[in-house]
Amino acid sequence: MKISGAQLVIKLLERQGITQIAGLPGGAALPLYDALPGSNIKHVLTRHEQGAGFIAEGMARVSGKAAVCFASSGPGATNLVTAIADAHLDSIPVIAITGQVPSSMLGTDAFQEIDTFGLMAPITKHNWLVRSAEELLEVIPAAFRIATSGRPGPVAIDIPKDVQNQIIEIDEFPAPGEAMPLPQPTLAQLKEMEAMIAKAERPMLMVGAGVIQSNSSEALVALAEKLNIPAVSTFLGLSVFPHGHELHLGMLGMHGSKGNNIALEECDLLIGAGVRFDDRATGKISEFCPQAAVLHIEIDRSEIGKLKTPTLAVHADVGACIKALLTNCEPQQRIEWVSRIKWLNENHGIPLPTKQDLSNPYSLIKTVAEIVGDNTNVHTDVGQHQMWTAQVYPFVRDRQWSSSGGLGTMGYGLPAAIGAALADPERMALCISGDGSIMMNIQEIDTAVEHNLNVKVVVINNSRLGLVRQQQALFYQENFAAVNNKRTADFALMAQAMGANGFDLGKATDPLAMLTEALNTPGPVLINVPISEDEMVFPMVPPGAANKDLIEERKA
Amino acid sequence: MSDFSQCAILELKVNNHPGVMSHVCGLFARRAFNVEGILCMPMQDKKHSKIWLLVGEDQRLDQITQQTLKLEDVLEISQHSASHPVFAQMMEFVE
Ligand SMILES: Cc1ncc(C[n+]2csc(CCOP(=O)(O)OP(=O)(O)O)c2C)c(N)n1
């Protein structure tokens, strides 16, 4: 059959099971867009390409499957860069497909020509500048294989316009690309792990996103219960343990609870499962878990020994290891250690207000969670609101939590929530944002309205770039520079201007009633909630300090 | 003759694709790992190339090797001591 490069791309994406693509067209992507109508793929037009990148991330995080975004050359491609970098640092399988100027014009500084290959190389697992339509037969399946194999991550495909237009003759389509089989633990490794765990008196699991990736969240919790091993979660590992589990001490690191930190000081074995020992989690790494032997189970060989030298390293699928340990290990009690953890949780958890007060961020987040219930996927932007959410949101299942961890990208929340609403339409997509972050991609409310998506945005509005202000308050003698949004826009009105419902709790006589009504209003809704700028995220470990040197609260 | 005694030599077998050199060199640059010398030639089969890198021998060498192995087009890496003649012979052309 005869087929153009652009038609081939669309056909191969269909064959990969892609049903929705977020993007924004332009000159160099016109043939791709010409091939879209009539396909089985629904295109979601965003208002900015960064939104398209984050929508793809949101879809991938909630579904665990690779997701695709489209952009044109030049500014289209550069606008995608932040989202692809975000996916790279959080290991999310996103496939970015960009149009490029015709091959004959490459290297001539043509209109909207930019070195997309060069820009994408450092922020992808692999990327291509496609030289002919035939190459697409290999590149598209390879893109899916690479994005989803081992430790997942983004890939980028740059396709010159003439390659999109080139007609080739093919007999059949190549097989869709699939994830490669994962390295398995050896029997000897399993025996060593079992012995190490059996011998430990005060073991501690450090649960990372690798556990979610390897579809072993339930097995991990079961293992913890069977062997009575308490656990801490990395920022991205949150939602593996259901909220309130008595063995779980919540998120570790910069904004972890004091109890969590004490437990890590005391543990004699740290089991890092699908983690990369990020500095926000470990604090000053030389003082992290000073008494502990370290067992590191990780799919990415280059993470082993990168920052923390393990006592035992197992380069294998975390899921396979956990499931084998769950089957093989004898139950253990560890009565003292478990009761110590319980005591630490009760006495040194995140201190919550005792009565409901919607101007207190913890109380607000808890109340929102109660109103929306468990059938909700939770997103945030970046800042204090993100950390408050990470500290207290009552997650009940994995993949319920979606937030920008490694890159910490303001502007992630709303488009990612749109992605989740598209990929998991049975559930509400909640986005908890701040007055700073929401402005980075607020235009995507218009996209949510176009598709009438079940997206609810709660803007926790302190009229400040709160987390930056917090650092200036604590470490820069309150020299508040450039953190004041005092004249914030009327976000409820902005939402209304784009056709969404907008609510402002600052104008409510009964804030709880308004919040309840807003969260129960169908379609896209934005709710502005004023809070005091003096609310802080505690505990906090000063950047660069050891976790044990956390600041518990602000001295007056 | 320059002194390579503090150096190691990495021999990479890579796919002979456009872009491979930039993936490899970019990786070393962004991970702040100095490359003192570089040599790249297609192999007999034309499908693969050999890249030789003269690098500082420090404790991060294993880490950078592992990162390099993750590159899709890098198929094999072996490490040689500085006494390997490849760069010593190259010196003729730069001195
Ligand atoms: C794109 C981007 N620019 C800058 C930063 C640095 N930064 C981190 S938190 C923050 C303030 C966020 O303010 P807001 O969204 O209002 O949230 P709050 O901390 O007040 O809850 C800034 C500027 C960032 N993380 N991302």
Side-chain angles (χ1 to χ4, degrees), chain A residues 117 121-122 125-127 131 145-146 151 300-302 306, chain B residues 18-19 22-23 30-31 62-63 66-67 70-73:
Chain A
F117 180 85
K125 277 181 89 174
H126 192 59
N127 69 319
R131 312 271 165 157
R145 170 175 54 78
I146 294 167
R151 176 180 178 177
D300 179 352
R301 169 69 183 79
S302 70
K306 183 179 85 175
Chain B
S22 98
H23 276 145
R30 68 179 171 270
R31 293 204 177 250
D62 177 59
Q63 170 60 204
Q66 292 306 330
Q67 295 290 354
K70 286 194 337 191
L71 294 176
E72 192 59 26
D73 284 326

